[in-house]
Amino acid sequence: MTTYVTQFGSLDSYDKGGIEIINDDPKHFVFSNIFEVANGAKPYEKVAVAKNTKYVIEAVRTEGTSGWRSCAHDEFVTVLDGEVKVELVKLDTPAVPADKEGSVALTGEPVGQPMGHLVLRRGHQGLLPANSAYRFVADRPGVLFQQTIQGDDTIERWAEICLS
Amino acid sequence: MTITDVQSTPPNEQGYRAFILGGFHFRRDEFFVHISWPTGKHVASIDAFLRALQRDVAWDFFYGTVNFDHVFGTVNHYGTVDMFAGRFNDAYRRAELDHTENFETPVIRETFKAMLADWTNASFDPFASPAETAKPFGNKDGDNLEAVTRRRISASRMVGVPSDEQIRTDESGFPVNRMFADVPQDEPEVHANPGFESEVAAFNLFAYLSRSDVTWNPSVVSVCKDSLYCPTTEEYILPIVHGNDRVEWFLQLSDEIIWDVQDRDTGAPRAKVTMKAGDVAAMPADIRHQGYSPKRSMLLVWENGDPALPERISKGLENVYPVEF
Ligand SMILES: [Fe+2]
């Protein structure tokens, strides 16, 4: 019987595909690799790797302790490499106006009730509930990607990360 | 709309009913589907046809165009559906042999469901990898209603959140697939303080996907307004050629898929995109694409479900390319 090996990537080891053009422009495919992006990013920078109108997927290098953030809508994080602890606090008063989209950085410690925490490893997806405060803690460098809406701190560096 | 509204004939020599919808006529024999319409006819392998029909039915005509092959398919107008022959084929268009009819969605949905149910034999599962199911050929031999009417999984917030779609387990009938035997099955640590059990939530997406019993079937696992994560497991060939009516994104989670990308309207080749674990790529709104997955792989299909998008794109209010740089 064949033994199959499932190929996942990591910060240290990934293999990038590519585009063979027949009659097109490679820029149209906005092709990047999350591990490569995270290798070139500072801890907890939110680098857009996919964008559809206002919606984005951000690649995040998890390393050390992040600042606290909050968002008026649900967001989701999926870990591709490493281990990250997600701390959650129910804010006494929402930090973000209800109609504001994307997450914002909070100053200082969040004021509210501790909701609990998640410990996420490769392949795990967690909910960042609307109007909570959240922060990430990672002992070693890792990678996650975040389902959210473009916010003030979303970084767009397409020309640097995409095939052209 | 009830099944009695579906127009069909008594079984033919091979035991299969023929179906009529508007000017289109469908019949199957041991090996083929035969489709005819006022300006022409088409023959295709029943294997490929049933796999495509299964997706079109299960996805309720999906986003944009579902090309069964280079001739036949459907275009979703979200309330009505176009059924066409030759419409996205340059030669048919030039010869003016293309044909399109528009149907209320329930009418075409019920006809397709009845055809899929009647033409799928007991040992064939159109959603399964061809390595994991019997062949669809031969005379009528029972049915496989359980397979062709699988419930469409669609989370409203996230898989694993209480009262939402739940994770897959051996006990719930979803063993780990043979090609994902090495995928870790550990669940995340979820420490919810009392009162926050519905908000502190996480699940193992890779384990969830390793237990999928179907291929090429994007289904929603998390929702951020119109942003929908629709991951799926892929093996062999995408049974349809998907024509976009909006930008769609792929994030390759494991292994490798090769995409043939063609012009949406003519089918002229534009590019070949090879995606490996960690690669992210857009499929522009003016293309069609078909994927090839040499080993069962995990693909995150990312959709924007905003119902206003197709019209905004066709009016030029949104670019067919998601990012300018
Ligand atoms: Fe697609």
Side-chain angles (χ1 to χ4, degrees):
Chain A
M1 216 179 100
T2 316
T3 304
Y4 294 100
V5 177
T6 302
Q7 299 291 340
F8 294 112
S10 66
L11 276 176
D12 294 335
S13 171
Y14 62 90
D15 201 9
K16 194 176 173 181
I19 307 172
E20 184 186 325
I21 292 294
I22 297 152
N23 180 20
D24 212 323
D25 179 346
K27 287 183 174 180
H28 291 161
F29 298 94
V30 201
F31 189 114
S32 69
N33 179 283
I34 288 190
F35 301 110
E36 190 175 73
V37 171
N39 265 328
K42 298 191 187 84
Y44 300 108
E45 272 189 332
K46 297 154 68 64
V47 184
V49 289
K51 182 178 176 180
N52 197 335
T53 65
K54 65 187 178 183
Y55 297 102
V56 291
I57 296 176
E58 297 166 339
V60 176
R61 178 188 180 92
T62 53
E63 184 177 3
T65 301
S66 75
W68 289 94
R69 301 191 70 82
S70 187
C71 188
H73 51 78
D74 285 347
E75 304 174 282
F76 303 88
V77 288
T78 310
V79 172
L80 289 180
D81 189 18
E83 178 179 302
V84 63
K85 182 181 179 196
V86 183
E87 299 175 346
L88 295 163
V89 172
K90 186 78 189 175
L91 291 170
D92 288 343
T93 45
V96 187
D99 60 352
K100 165 106 177 152
E101 295 182 319
S103 69
V104 302
L106 304 180
T107 43
E109 291 293 305
V111 179
Q113 228 183 322
M115 300 171 75
H117 70 270
L118 309 169
V119 179
L120 308 178
R121 291 174 295 273
R122 174 185 280 170
H124 296 174
Q125 180 171 352
L127 165 66
L128 306 175
N131 293 314
S132 66
Y134 60 83
R135 75 170 174 184
F136 306 118
V137 182
D139 292 340
R140 289 179 308 281
V143 186
L144 62 74
F145 63 92
Q146 189 158 343
Q147 179 182 13
T148 185
I149 299 178
Q150 183 162 18
D152 302 341
D153 298 328
T154 304
I155 294 168
E156 294 188 89
R157 50 173 74 128
W158 304 104
E160 289 159 54
I161 64 173
C162 293
L163 298 180
S164 60
Chain B
M1 187 80 199
T2 66
I3 197 82
T4 53
D5 296 305
V6 174
Q7 276 188 277
S8 68
T9 66
N12 63 9
E13 256 178 72
Q14 289 83 30
Y16 300 106
R17 290 153 67 197
F19 292 85
I20 301 105
L21 184 56
F24 285 87
H25 183 276
F26 302 84
R27 67 179 174 87
R28 87 156 274 187
D29 56 25
E30 285 199 52
F31 293 109
F32 301 112
V33 56
H34 302 265
I35 309 172
S36 59
W37 58 93
T39 54
K41 59 182 192 288
H42 185 53
V43 59
S45 166
I46 195 63
D47 184 45
F49 182 79
L50 289 176
R51 291 179 197 282
L53 186 62
Q54 173 70 82
R55 271 73 185 180
D56 215 11
V57 167
W59 303 343
D60 210 28
F61 307 100
F62 207 42
Y63 298 109
T65 308
V66 173
N67 295 285
F68 284 45
D69 58 18
H70 59 296
V71 174
F72 180 79
T74 58
V75 182
N76 198 355
H77 298 292
Y78 314 97
T80 70
V81 175
D82 287 347
M83 188 158 68
F84 65 81
R87 172 157 159 200
F88 298 102
N89 181 307
D90 213 28
Y92 275 75
R93 294 282 280 196
R94 284 169 198 268
E96 297 183 8
L97 285 173
D98 59 300
H99 182 74
T100 300
E101 293 182 35
N102 181 262
F103 301 97
E104 296 290 326
T105 300
V107 177
I108 180 169
R109 181 196 291 135
E110 291 308 315
T111 303
F112 274 20
K113 280 166 81 171
M115 185 155 55
L116 179 66
D118 189 65
W119 291 5
T120 301
N121 289 320
S123 57
F124 179 63
D125 179 351
F127 255 138
S129 157
E132 295 186 331
T133 185
K135 293 188 168 55
F137 307 115
N139 290 334
K140 173 99 175 139
D141 179 19
D143 55 43
N144 196 355
L145 296 181
E146 201 184 332
V148 301
T149 61
R150 275 186 182 91
R151 189 178 70 86
R152 178 115 204 242
I153 294 165
S154 189
S156 52
R157 195 174 190 191
M158 186 182 78
V159 168
V161 169
S163 82
D164 209 329
E165 297 284 0
Q166 291 308 299
I167 61 168
R168 299 176 176 131
T169 62
D170 286 348
E171 293 70 39
S172 64
F174 293 95
V176 177
N177 185 268
R178 76 199 194 288
M179 286 201 189
F180 288 137
D182 59 339
V183 174
Q185 298 294 315
D186 61 307
E187 285 300 320
E189 290 177 35
V190 177
H191 304 272
N193 291 339
F196 295 111
E197 293 83 356
S198 66
E199 301 246 76
V200 181
F203 75 111
N204 186 337
L205 173 66
F206 288 0
Y208 179 81
L209 292 173
S210 75
R211 293 171 178 273
S212 170
D213 62 341
V214 295
T215 60
W216 307 101
N217 185 33
S219 49
V220 178
V221 301
S222 58
V223 180
C224 172
K225 300 193 180 181
D226 282 324
S227 160
L228 308 174
Y229 272 8
C230 310
T232 152
T233 51
E234 321 295 48
E235 184 179 334
Y236 189 51
I237 304 175
L238 173 58
I240 61 133
V241 186
H242 182 213
N244 287 11
D245 67 1
R246 66 194 70 202
V247 175
E248 180 178 52
W249 283 83
F250 295 147
L251 198 168
Q252 192 70 35
L253 296 171
S254 85
D255 304 291
E256 176 179 327
I257 296 178
I258 301 136
W259 293 96
D260 265 339
V261 180
Q262 305 170 333
D263 182 80
R264 182 186 62 189
D265 297 332
T266 67
R270 284 175 53 166
K272 216 174 251 296
V273 180
T274 301
M275 299 188 67
K276 301 184 181 193
D279 287 344
V280 190
M283 291 288 127
D286 62 349
I287 60 106
R288 70 175 85 165
H289 53 278
Q290 184 168 36
Y292 299 77
S293 187
K295 174 196 170 287
R296 201 175 185 95
S297 66
M298 301 181 187
L299 171 68
L300 175 56
V301 176
W302 181 44
E303 297 286 356
N304 183 335
D306 180 353
L309 269 182
E311 195 184 335
R312 289 181 57 78
I313 288 170
S314 66
K315 282 183 173 163
L317 299 171
E318 297 284 351
N319 201 327
V320 294
Y321 307 116
V323 177
E324 299 280 349
F325 65 94

